[in-house]
Amino acid sequence: MRQDLTRYGELLTQIKDRIRRAQVKASLSANAEMILMYWDIGWIIHERQRHEGWGTKIIPQLSRDIRNELPKVKGFSERNIGYMIRFAREYDSHAILQQPVAKLAPDTPSTNLPQPVVQLPVHKDSENLQQLVAKIPWGHHILLMEKVKDLPARFWYMHQIIEQGWSRNVLGLMIKSNTHERQGAAVTNFEKRLPDPQSDLACQALKDPYIFDFLTLAEPFHERELETELVKHLEKFLLELGRGFAFVGRQYHIEVGDKDFYIDLLFYHLKLRCFVVIELKKGAFKPEYAGKINFYCSVVDDRFKHENDQPTIGLILCQENDRVLAEYALRDIRKPIGVSEYELTRALPDDLKSSLPTVEEIEVELSRKMEE
């Protein structure tokens, strides 16, 4: 009887897994079809505007008529139709979407409608881009069009949305902190100390600088305070580190000989399959930091590394990093180590700084208001 129940439980689990896979596939398929439809509709309107001289006044009329004649269909507000047109215009020259109108509406005569998508050249890269774009939710597309003007950077964010599973809010935070410029920018010795492709993967797993603007620390502070705050805001810290980092512990105790040592922060990276030792430093990078973290990596490899794990990686986070100094410091270090800066707040651009009032100007204005 117990064996029958076990077999039934296995059967039920197998069926549930199959249902879930089908649900995910159906959701992705529905999103792709909607994205392709939005592109096609945007292109049709764009072509009519270009060839027949229709202006923007056509958009409110289309929005009203579609909602009146297809009341159950959502997503055709004036604003959204405007985004559809922009979507088609911005991706046209890259031949990303090439689905003919007939595929989207097989029962609707379309011989009189412009179908430029059929005429676009088809090649492997454009097919890959089409698949990528079709996987991205529409809300993410709108945010990317609004905030990221550079198309290569936009495609980079699209890949991260798929790989990291970013929500729209998380995507907004990543764009705001210019993650595409920071990813893979740390000073490392990975190329010499790790085999391919592990060295490339490890480089892309690190950033420079790391932005800890979710902390409330103010100068002066101690390294231990920074560590405490990062652990207190662990979810946001992990989000800034990137996908794959799993927290192991803080002030992680290791004993060598008759002496005690404590690693600031110890992580395990699920994708790289290795431990990551992080040392937090206040102020500028010093060459001696490399020797200390090299020692920690050696101990972790010896004590905790599984036979199937990759070599432990060290990451030194400091407030200022002289890249040339760091490169020299890491050159003959045996363990794979990276050096990055961290920022508690992002510096204001110079043009914005000049437009802000000084403390003295604020005090004068407040005094004048109080006198009034």
Side-chain angles (χ1 to χ4, degrees):
M1 183 68 176
R2 182 175 296 174
Q3 188 175 8
D4 290 341
L5 289 174
T6 302
R7 287 178 180 174
Y8 175 76
E10 293 173 351
L11 173 64
L12 181 61
T13 299
Q14 187 177 2
I15 293 174
K16 287 192 296 183
D17 288 344
R18 183 63 186 87
I19 292 171
R20 291 192 184 103
R21 289 201 304 273
Q23 288 174 331
V24 171
K25 188 175 180 180
S27 176
L28 290 173
S29 177
N31 180 75
E33 192 69 15
M34 185 185 74
I35 297 300
L36 295 173
M37 177 187 70
Y38 281 174
W39 189 93
D40 244 332
I41 290 171
W43 184 262
I44 291 169
I45 299 171
H46 166 64
E47 284 294 280
R48 286 293 182 93
Q49 288 178 324
R50 192 158 65 96
H51 292 294
E52 301 182 25
W54 290 354
T56 56
K57 291 183 179 179
I58 192 67
I59 296 176
Q61 183 179 338
L62 276 172
S63 177
R64 287 194 301 271
D65 289 343
I66 291 171
R67 285 186 290 182
N68 287 337
E69 298 187 26
L70 300 170
K72 293 184 179 180
V73 175
K74 306 297 182 184
F76 286 89
S77 65
E78 293 179 33
R79 183 180 178 85
N80 213 35
I81 292 175
Y83 279 124
M84 293 178 204
I85 299 169
R86 182 174 172 182
F87 186 55
R89 285 173 178 166
E90 294 195 8
Y91 292 130
D92 165 47
S93 61
H94 291 262
I96 290 176
L97 302 174
Q98 297 129 4
Q99 295 292 320
V101 175
K103 273 195 175 183
L104 294 177
D107 299 327
T108 305
S110 56
T111 54
N112 295 325
L113 294 177
Q115 298 184 39
V117 280
V118 183
Q119 301 164 9
L120 291 174
V122 178
H123 49 81
K124 186 176 180 180
D125 289 343
S126 65
E127 287 179 347
N128 290 339
L129 288 172
Q130 177 182 336
Q131 293 171 6
L132 173 65
V133 171
K135 289 179 181 178
I136 307 300
W138 181 241
H140 290 60
H141 274 304
I142 292 175
L143 187 60
L144 287 170
M145 287 190 289
E146 289 287 349
K147 301 295 184 181
V148 184
K149 306 306 178 186
D150 180 63
L151 283 179
R154 196 182 289 179
F155 295 142
W156 184 88
Y157 281 109
M158 288 184 189
H159 281 290
Q160 297 305 307
I161 291 167
I162 301 300
E163 292 176 11
Q164 310 275 0
W166 287 345
S167 67
R168 192 172 185 274
N169 288 338
V170 170
L171 173 62
L173 292 173
M174 294 302 169
I175 293 172
K176 185 178 179 181
S177 65
N178 294 319
T179 303
H180 69 286
E181 295 178 353
R182 300 186 289 122
Q183 200 80 36
V187 177
T188 74
N189 63 355
F190 295 165
E191 188 175 347
K192 293 181 177 180
R193 300 296 175 232
L194 292 172
D196 291 332
Q198 182 76 356
S199 60
D200 292 333
L201 293 172
C203 280
Q204 289 304 311
L206 303 187
K207 301 173 184 173
D208 185 36
Y210 285 87
I211 309 298
F212 299 149
D213 55 1
F214 50 86
L215 302 181
T216 56
L217 283 175
E219 294 281 5
F221 63 88
H222 299 288
E223 291 169 0
R224 188 63 62 85
E225 291 178 283
L226 173 62
E227 176 191 314
T228 300
E229 285 296 304
L230 287 173
V231 174
K232 188 186 297 183
H233 298 86
L234 187 57
E235 185 176 351
K236 292 179 180 178
F237 183 31
L238 288 171
L239 184 62
E240 176 60 12
L241 288 176
R243 188 175 185 181
F245 281 87
F247 182 64
V248 177
R250 62 172 291 203
Q251 289 300 303
Y252 202 87
H253 176 249
I254 52 177
E255 185 177 344
V256 180
D258 59 350
K259 294 187 170 147
D260 295 318
F261 299 90
Y262 297 88
I263 297 171
D264 285 350
L265 297 166
L266 183 61
F267 290 84
Y268 187 85
H269 199 286
L270 300 174
K271 186 175 181 179
L272 298 176
R273 310 306 299 177
C274 69
F275 285 97
V276 181
V277 172
I278 296 182
E279 283 291 290
L280 303 171
K281 300 298 178 184
K282 192 173 185 298
F285 171 78
K286 296 178 182 178
E288 52 263 37
Y289 296 160
K292 183 178 180 182
I293 201 167
N294 185 75
F295 163 71
Y296 284 156
C297 289
S298 294
V299 177
V300 171
D301 275 341
D302 187 57
R303 302 280 179 84
F304 310 124
K305 177 177 171 289
H306 188 270
E307 61 181 8
N308 294 326
D309 284 342
Q310 298 292 329
T312 298
I313 290 172
L315 175 59
I316 302 168
L317 293 180
C318 48
Q319 286 179 294
E320 300 173 24
N321 179 29
D322 184 321
R323 297 182 71 87
V324 176
L325 188 66
E327 287 171 4
Y328 274 114
L330 299 181
R331 178 177 293 181
D332 296 319
I333 292 290
R334 291 183 60 251
K335 295 298 182 181
I337 293 170
V339 181
S340 294
E341 293 183 356
Y342 64 86
E343 298 177 6
L344 300 182
T345 56
R346 296 244 65 178
L348 288 173
D350 291 336
D351 57 344
L352 183 56
K353 284 181 182 177
S354 62
S355 67
L356 294 175
T358 64
V359 174
E360 292 76 12
E361 289 172 336
I362 293 174
E363 289 176 346
V364 170
E365 182 64 19
L366 287 173
S367 298
R368 188 178 66 81
K369 291 288 185 183
M370 292 177 67
E371 290 174 359
E372 292 176 355

